[in-house]
Amino acid sequence: MYTAREIKLGIILPFAWKPILVFFIYALVLCLVSYAAGITLGISFVPIGLIGTAVAFYVGFKNNSSYERLWEARRIWGAIVNASRTWGTLTATYIQPLPEDASHDEKEVRTQLIHRHIAYINAVRIQLRAKSVWDDKNTVAHHIVRDQVGNDDAPLLHSLNEFLPADEVQYYLSKKNPATHIMKAQARQLDEIFRKGAINELFYFHMMNIVQEFYNQQGAAERIKNFPFPRQYAYFSKVFVWLFISILPFGLINEFAKLGPDLMWLAIPSYMIIAWVFYTMEVVGDTSENPFENAINDIPMTAICRTIEIDLREMLDEANIPAPVTAVNNILM
C-alpha cells in the first residue's frame, strides 16, 4: 500500500514513460506524414468524442468495481483485527486454573491459543499472497515493490516455526489449506479445556463463535483471491481504451489543422496528455482488482499481522515484543 499523501514522480514514471514515448512517436509520425504529404490525416472529432465518452463511462465502471474488491479486502482484514483482539482478550480472561488437575497450566494454554492464532493469521496472509493462475507478477506494480521494498514472500514454514511446535508445523504443511487446519486445532483445544471444566459453557460458546468468525473472514478473502475480476470487463476495458487512443490523434490533427498548418503540431502534446489520462485510468483499475498479490496498491497484510501479533503478545505480558512494520519508501507491506 502506498502511504504518502502525494504520489512521487519516481512512482509515476515507471508506469508512464513507455506509453508516453509511444504516444509521442505515434503522433509525431502522423503529423510528419500530414505535413510532408500536404494533406490532413484527420477525421471529424465528433465520432471520436462520442467514443471517448463511452470509454470513460466503461472504464469508470471497471474502476468502481475494482475499488469495491480492494475496499472489501480491507474490510475483511479489519474484521480479522477486531476478532483477533477479541480472541486474545477472551483467551486471557476466560481460561481458568484447575487446582485439582496438576496437568492443566492455564498460562501455558493461553500462550498456546494465542501463539497458534498468530501463526494462523500469518498462514492466511502467505496463502493469499501465493501466485494465482491468472496473476501476472511481472508488472510494474510488482517491480516497484521488489525494487524499493524487497521480497516479502517469507516461507510458511518460517512463520509457523516461530509460534508452533515442530510436529504441529509438519502436520499443517501437509495440508492444502494449512490455515484452515490451524483454526481446527484451536477449536479442538477449546473443546478439551471445556470438557476439563477450565471454561464454562457460555464462555466456550462465545469463543467458538469467534472461531466461526475467522472462518467467515478467511472464506471471504479466499473468494476475492480465487475469483478473478470478470475478464469480459477487464479485457474489453483495455481494448476500448487502446481503440480510443489509436484514433484520437486523427481527430486532434484535423481540429488543429483548421487553425493553420503551423498549429497542427499542437496535436502532439494534446494527444500525449489525453492519451496518458485514459491510459492511467485503465492502469489504476488493473492495479486494484487483485488486492492480495504483493503489488504497490495491495492490502498491507504484513503490517496488519504484525499489529495483531503485538496486541496479542502484550496481552500475555511477553517480553521482546517485535516493532510495528513501517513503510519503506512510502510503501507499506
Side-chain angles (χ1 to χ4, degrees), residues 48-213:
I48 297 176
L50 291 174
I51 293 173
T53 302
V55 170
F57 277 110
Y58 198 94
V59 174
F61 167 76
K62 174 196 171 181
N63 285 4
N64 283 338
S65 301
S66 296
Y67 178 77
E68 282 297 321
R69 286 169 63 88
L70 178 66
W71 186 239
E72 183 184 3
R74 185 58 186 90
R75 288 200 303 265
I76 289 168
W77 274 95
I80 290 175
V81 171
N82 295 340
S84 296
R85 289 169 176 161
T86 302
W87 175 265
T89 299
L90 299 186
T91 299
T93 305
Y94 288 172
I95 310 299
Q96 299 300 318
L98 294 174
E100 68 280 3
D101 186 354
S103 65
H104 176 77
D105 184 346
E106 74 278 7
K107 292 183 179 179
E108 181 181 356
V109 172
R110 292 169 185 167
T111 300
Q112 289 173 347
L113 289 172
I114 286 180
H115 279 200
R116 190 181 292 113
H117 182 70
I118 298 172
Y120 166 75
I121 58 172
N122 280 284
V124 172
R125 169 180 63 86
I126 293 171
Q127 290 175 203
L128 290 176
R129 280 185 171 155
K131 189 179 186 306
S132 303
V133 174
W134 55 83
D135 177 38
D136 180 10
K137 292 207 170 186
N138 198 34
T139 67
V140 174
H142 291 89
H143 284 307
I144 290 175
V145 171
R146 287 195 289 266
D147 294 343
Q148 300 198 24
V149 179
N151 197 337
D152 190 48
D153 296 328
L156 181 58
L157 175 64
H158 174 74
S159 296
L160 297 186
N161 277 335
E162 284 191 70
F163 302 102
L164 300 174
D167 57 336
E168 276 195 56
V169 171
Q170 293 305 314
Y171 171 75
Y172 299 139
L173 292 178
S174 69
K175 303 299 181 181
K176 292 183 178 179
N177 193 325
T180 297
H181 293 273
I182 295 174
M183 190 51 62
K184 185 183 76 171
Q186 296 283 69
R188 183 188 296 117
Q189 187 170 11
L190 275 178
D191 186 66
E192 290 174 357
I193 61 177
F194 168 66
R195 294 179 184 278
K196 287 182 178 180
I199 183 173
N200 69 38
E201 185 175 1
L202 178 61
F203 295 163
Y204 170 72
F205 178 75
H206 285 170
M207 295 190 73
M208 288 301 291
N209 278 341
I210 301 298
V211 170
Q212 182 181 8
E213 175 67 9

